[in-house]
Amino acid sequence: MKKLAIGILAHVDAGKTTLSEALLYGAGQLRKLGRVDHGDAFLDTDAMERERGITIFSKQALLPVGDTEITLLDTPGHVDFSAETERTLQVLDGAILVISGTDGVQAHTRTLWQLLERYQVPVCLFVNKMDLSGADREAVLSQLRARLSDGCVDCGDPETLAEEAALRDEGLLERYLAGEPVTDADVAALTGQRKLFPCFFGSALKLEGVEALLEGLVRYVVPPAYPADFGARVYKIARDPQGARLTYLKVTGGTLRVKDLLTNRRPDTPEEEIWQEKADQIRIYSGSKFTLAEEAPAGTVCAVTGLSRTYPGEGLGAEEDGGGALLEPVLTYQLELPEGADPHTAMQKLRLLEEEDPQLHITWNEALGEIHVQLMGQVQLEILQRMIRERFGWEVTFGPGSIVYRETIAAPVEGIGHFEPLRHYAEVHLLLEPGAPGSGIRIATACPEDQLDGRWQRLVLTHLKEREHPGVLTGSPITDLKITLVAGRAHVKHTEGGDFRQATYRAVRQGLMQAENILLEPWYDFRLELPADQVGRAMMDLQRMNARTDAPETMGEETVLTGAAPVSGLRDYGQEVTAYTRGRGRLLCTPRGYEPCADQAAVVEALGYDPERDPDNPPDSVFCSHGAGVIVKWNEVPAHAHVDSGLRLDAPEPEEAETPQPRQRMDYAGTLAQDKELQAIFERTYGAVKRRDFIPPRELRRSPAETGEKRNIKEAFSGPEYLLVDGYNIIFAWEDLKAVARENLDAARKQLCDLLSNYQGLKKNRVIVVFDAYKVKGGLGSVERYHNIHVVYTKEAETADAYIEKATYEIGKTHRVKVATSDGPEQLIILGHGALRLSASAFREEMDQTLREMGRILSANNQRKKTGALRSALERAREDAGDGKGDA
């Protein structure tokens, strides 16, 4: 059967659980409809869900529809449990987004839409409660197109659906205008590309429109093509009533069988973190019940027992790990244990809850002797309190809570970390750059492998990813940063893996200590519904919070205020609204993200964090002096560093390349006319220069006998032309070589040398390719012969630019010289020395033309050889025939 994993999402009170019941009933899986208000909904299996009438935990149910088996994944609708919803999105083939016909698009609907967009999930929309007064089909559809996507299209009219589909694809539009019909496959393709979002209207409670939705899912959502190799994505960790640990996953390739050995082994996984465990059981859940399966083919969503170290978002087999979560908790609370409870034992048990919800971020503050937990809001706090009581028998309480801040920086800075106690060694240089809001932490490397081996580079990147790095203002985690490894050094004998962990952490902290740091605070998008006579009070309160408020909307006797405000102002404001409106007002909040704190100085002073007294996150480095490790203060580290990264952040830099690059360079790709103008400027400033390439050929020059002049042999510029190539500049200017360099710089060097060897073979010039080695401590430089070209590695403190400038001047005295580079300053000096410059792009065109010409020559030679061989064979045949030996 065709397998589809379909999630169902909605804002609170949109009727999501009711629609789930209706879909199960329509597929013949339920004999009678359950209801949220009756506490008998099929998928609300937990007692807390039945009591509160909300979905807290994601669950699944099977819906066979014809030749398709749909696994319906029900997700929480309350904003406090949005993280559970986000984890489920990672395994979906499609989603149903439920919209209330009377409420329309809410703030939380926008959040869900952003999540669906981030994970690229195809979406069908179901507008519910269309049986209620005030529900306007055209108005809702117009709002969907305006606030979500203009690809939202009403599936109730086949002609309109065909027209809208055709407008979203040029090829389909041409066929449609030519009279060809728009097929279900066409609509499914556009839905899968998220260019089209089919919309269905009805009432789940009255089963109106539910059958059309089921048919639409089967027709317009297509499962992906799965590979043959085994892969799976974990999206949830839970425990059954007997306490068995369940790993919920979707098989994304091959087949999972009982007793298969599963592992997290990856090339870059540290050996001590690798695990191998057997899948003891494969359970296919539908509601609270399950059936055991011997195997699970690709597309199956199941729970596996026997795995103790999996986590949500983890990829198994061929499946890669998922990215970081978009939604993060915005509040942190102190968890207070009952008297006599051992905090260390409590931490071990609380880790079980953190496995199931990693966003809890349960931490032990050693200095204060306190347990802290991060939450989305008050409802989640109450649920957690009850779960601890039911599972562990503790009546815990929580402190007043505080805001979860984040930190970032305003401008690029270089961070240096050095760790060299006796018999240990590592040095790391990091470039920290501010990123776009909401971009999180991005990791990259631009360090040549001839300076720091690839295995050490991968270790540095692992240490950057493995933890949240605290900022220096309040100790809050840093975010919205790009961290690039630009330089480093290891010791042949004394370096161990842990050395680079210390050096990496210290480099991040040292960079932050120098930077202009910005404190970020979380914001909410809010919707405030209240009586019209209370709007003035609300507007004053929101202004006091530094909120941004849209124009008020009037809905009957109520007024609706929407906008955004800091969490610090809105976190307890819902209770105030209830009080001053006498229960007639309602505040709905949805996480918006982080923005700069309006009162940074006051918050930093109140929290009183001292970055230089944080023993777990030191900004200083350790250097070896007289056989012992010595602490060097963070502001003195650059003067003691062993490696020069080449970064000069105080001067304007060109746009950073995306790939490893020994040095930043300024590209220059001027035309011949621009070269002449450049030469004129140079001559006006420094005097006339003699351009070797303009000297006429020997046959056009007058002989000494004709002129009566004596000529120096050096002036004749006899002999072959020289080509000097700035190796790294060319590698990082040519896309194919740059791609190779990302994986292996040595391979890129070899490939360039091979190309230059072929080039020299046809051009018959003398080729010298120069590579930087100026950062190599103690480097003596070398000149090597590679086939028919010369390869130069510069010595310590000598750049390729300097070598090429000197060589151009010396060789240019007796020979014509070309220099291939796109380094702007270098090209100015080349012009001054009378050499001909060749930009990287122009050299690429010349190289490609040379290779094509070589291919034609080789092809012609092969053809001549074949022709010659054929003629020889014919002649031998004629001779044999003449001798009577052959068959005429």
Side-chain angles (χ1 to χ4, degrees), residues 25 126 150 157 172 210 285 300 331 336 355 391 494 505 554 576 580 675 711 818 830 869 875:
Y25 183 81
F126 184 80
D150 59 2
D157 183 356
L172 181 58
V210 174
Y285 272 89
T300 303
L331 301 171
E336 299 172 353
E355 278 188 345
R391 287 207 191 180
H494 296 311
Y505 291 174
T554 301
E576 287 188 45
Y580 71 71
D675 274 0
R711 289 180 58 83
K818 282 185 180 180
I830 290 165
E875 289 174 1

Side-chain angles (χ1 to χ4, degrees), residues 7-10 16-17 20 55-59 73-78 81 84-86 88-89 92 96 112:
I8 182 164
L9 302 85
K16 174 181 60 63
T17 301
S20 300
T55 301
I56 299 173
F57 310 103
S58 63
K59 288 168 289 294
L73 293 167
D74 189 20
T75 64
H78 197 284
F81 306 102
E84 178 90 357
T85 300
E86 183 176 3
T88 306
L89 296 185
L92 297 184
I96 305 167
L112 294 172

Side-chain angles (χ1 to χ4, degrees), residues 724-747:
L724 293 170
V725 179
D726 190 339
Y728 286 130
N729 185 278
I730 296 298
I731 285 175
F732 292 105
W734 292 2
E735 290 299 326
D736 52 344
L737 294 182
K738 183 164 68 174
V740 175
R742 290 193 192 105
E743 303 296 329
N744 191 320
L745 194 59
D746 187 58

Side-chain angles (χ1 to χ4, degrees), residues 165-430:
L167 290 173
R168 272 149 186 81
D169 184 85
E170 289 187 8
L172 181 58
L173 180 59
E174 290 180 3
R175 300 202 311 269
Y176 180 72
L177 294 175
E180 294 185 27
V182 174
T183 65
D184 287 349
D186 295 326
V187 176
L190 293 171
T191 303
Q193 297 166 19
R194 288 183 53 85
K195 294 181 179 180
L196 197 71
F197 303 96
C199 298
F200 302 86
F201 294 79
S203 169
L205 187 61
K206 297 183 177 179
L207 299 179
E208 295 173 0
V210 174
E211 185 177 351
L213 174 62
L214 268 175
E215 292 177 358
L217 291 174
V218 175
R219 292 164 65 183
Y220 303 142
V221 180
V222 179
Y226 296 109
D229 295 334
F230 169 74
R233 168 63 56 81
V234 179
Y235 73 95
K236 177 183 172 181
I237 303 297
R239 282 171 173 79
D240 67 9
Q242 288 72 41
R245 188 179 192 270
L246 301 176
T247 298
Y248 284 84
L249 55 82
K250 178 186 177 184
V251 182
T252 58
T255 300
L256 173 64
R257 296 178 177 83
V258 173
K259 300 304 180 184
D260 274 356
L261 190 65
L262 301 180
T263 180
N264 68 334
R265 185 179 295 277
R266 295 280 191 278
D268 56 347
T269 305
E271 195 65 32
E272 65 273 13
E273 297 179 9
I274 294 175
W275 55 262
Q276 288 184 326
E277 296 177 327
K278 288 184 179 180
D280 289 338
Q281 290 182 344
I282 299 176
R283 300 182 181 182
I284 309 297
Y285 272 89
S286 189
S288 59
K289 298 180 180 180
F290 66 87
T291 57
L292 294 177
E294 288 297 316
E295 63 180 28
T300 303
V301 179
C302 58
V304 177
T305 64
L307 307 180
S308 64
R309 296 177 62 180
T310 49
Y311 59 86
E314 184 174 20
L316 302 176
E319 186 70 28
E320 296 293 330
D321 287 352
L326 179 66
L327 299 178
E328 292 281 347
V330 295
L331 301 171
T332 181
Y333 293 85
Q334 177 192 347
L335 188 150
E336 299 172 353
L337 295 170
E339 187 176 351
D342 177 41
H344 298 288
T345 302
M347 280 296 296
Q348 293 178 2
K349 293 187 175 181
L350 291 172
R351 292 291 183 205
L352 302 179
L353 297 179
E354 190 180 34
E355 278 188 345
E356 300 171 19
D357 186 359
Q359 303 301 74
L360 290 176
H361 294 295
I362 298 173
T363 58
W364 169 253
N365 189 314
E366 187 71 36
L368 300 176
E370 296 174 350
I371 297 175
H372 290 262
V373 58
Q374 293 183 9
L375 300 169
M376 298 290 284
Q378 184 65 30
V379 176
Q380 188 183 14
L381 184 148
E382 295 170 4
I383 295 299
L384 179 63
Q385 195 171 30
R386 177 164 170 177
M387 289 175 64
I388 293 174
R389 180 173 66 248
E390 293 180 353
R391 287 207 191 180
F392 311 130
W394 296 328
E395 287 289 350
V396 301
T397 56
F398 293 90
S402 58
I403 304 299
V404 177
Y405 292 98
R406 294 282 189 269
E407 296 181 28
T408 188
I409 61 176
V413 66
E414 180 182 4
I416 304 173
H418 189 97
F419 187 71
E420 191 186 0
L422 188 62
R423 296 187 179 87
H424 293 270
Y425 187 95
E427 182 166 303
V428 171
H429 292 243
L430 302 174

